[in-house]
Each structure stands twice: as C-alpha cells, then as structure tokens.
Amino acid sequence: IIKIQSVYAKTISDDILYLRISSFMDTKVTSELKKFIEEHKEKTKGIILDLRNNPGGQLGQAIDVVDLFVDNGVIVSQKGKDQKDYEEFSASSVNTVTTVPMAVLVNGGSASASEIVSGALQDHKRAVIVGEETFGKGSVQRVI
C-alpha cells in the first residue's frame, strides 16, 4: 500500500508557514493542518496555503479547514430542489487557530473542495488568491 501524505508543511524564512494540502480525501487533513499551525504559531507572520492540483475530496474536511482560519460567518451553503434541502455551514471562533495574513495558491488542477476553501477564505477577506483559474467545479457530492 502506498500512503500519500495529504498535508505537508515547512517554514520559509523562519516566519512564513507553507502548508500544502494535496487532497481533502484524508479524514486527518484538518487535524494535521492544525498541528502544524500550532507548532509554528509563535514565529509565524504569514501563511501560504497551497491548493494547486488538489482535486478536492470531503466537504467536511474543507469546511473544517476554513474554520481554522475564519472565526464567524457562513463558510458554504448548499441547496437542492426543495427548500428542505438547504443547508448552511458556519464558522466558529472556538475553532479558529490563527488570524495571520494568508495567500492561497491555486491552478487549473484545483477543484471541488479546494475551490470551496479558497473561495470561502477570499469571501471572508482572510486570504489573497494567487495563481490561475481553477477547474470550475466548485460543487460537492454526498455519499449516501
């Protein structure tokens, strides 16, 4: 079995934390990200979140990742054919671990959950998006 590391971290110039998320398929994405942020919290003055070539994954992981950086407001909402299918996911200050400035790297291989993360961080004015136009899916599916 080949194990792929979903989250990779390194520091740049001692005070910039580079975080790479290769996909949101792993249920440990948020906990790994949180661990890296907390390990480097004292020195970190900025974060680069790299979502390039990230095909997406679990909506729950995407929501939880945004919640690490956003302290309130709607992260994402989804609607269906009927009003009863409307669902809203909001951020909570309890889960926020950092408020340092951020840049999010995206490209044409950034899809689905990675587009939701980058879009939510941009909407909440938590990050500047840098790169190319994303894949354009911006949607999620549910496993029933």
Side-chain angles (χ1 to χ4, degrees):
I1 296 176
I2 299 172
K3 291 195 177 201
I4 298 172
Q5 188 176 351
S6 296
V7 179
Y8 167 81
K10 72 177 182 178
T11 55
I12 302 170
S13 304
D14 280 347
D15 60 355
I16 303 295
L17 182 58
Y18 171 86
L19 299 167
R20 165 102 176 103
I21 302 175
S22 60
S23 85
F24 290 94
M25 296 302 257
D26 188 344
T27 58
K28 297 177 185 173
V29 170
T30 306
S31 60
E32 288 290 310
L33 211 55
K34 184 175 181 178
K35 180 183 83 168
F36 288 130
I37 293 166
E38 289 178 342
E39 283 175 4
H40 298 93
K41 197 169 191 169
E42 285 184 33
K43 289 185 177 183
T44 302
K45 292 182 181 170
I47 292 175
I48 298 170
L49 181 61
D50 191 347
L51 300 177
R52 292 175 296 177
N53 298 313
N54 179 323
Q58 299 178 29
L59 175 62
Q61 288 297 304
I63 292 166
D64 292 346
V65 165
V66 174
D67 207 7
L68 294 175
F69 305 107
V70 175
D71 60 3
N72 65 47
V74 176
I75 294 171
V76 68
S77 63
Q78 57 186 28
K79 61 183 179 178
K81 192 174 179 182
D82 299 319
Q83 180 63 31
K84 67 178 174 61
D85 295 328
Y86 181 80
E87 202 168 0
E88 201 171 79
F89 300 93
S90 297
S92 168
S93 59
V94 173
N95 300 318
T96 306
V97 293
T98 185
T99 58
V100 300
M102 297 177 65
V104 179
L105 307 180
V106 295
N107 67 4
S110 305
S112 193
S114 59
E115 291 172 305
I116 289 168
V117 170
S118 58
L121 292 172
Q122 182 179 43
D123 287 350
H124 286 277
K125 299 185 181 3
R126 277 296 289 120
V128 173
I129 310 302
V130 180
E132 305 168 352
E133 188 173 317
T134 61
F135 184 76
K137 184 178 175 193
S139 63
V140 295
Q141 300 83 39
R142 277 210 177 173
V143 178
I144 298 177

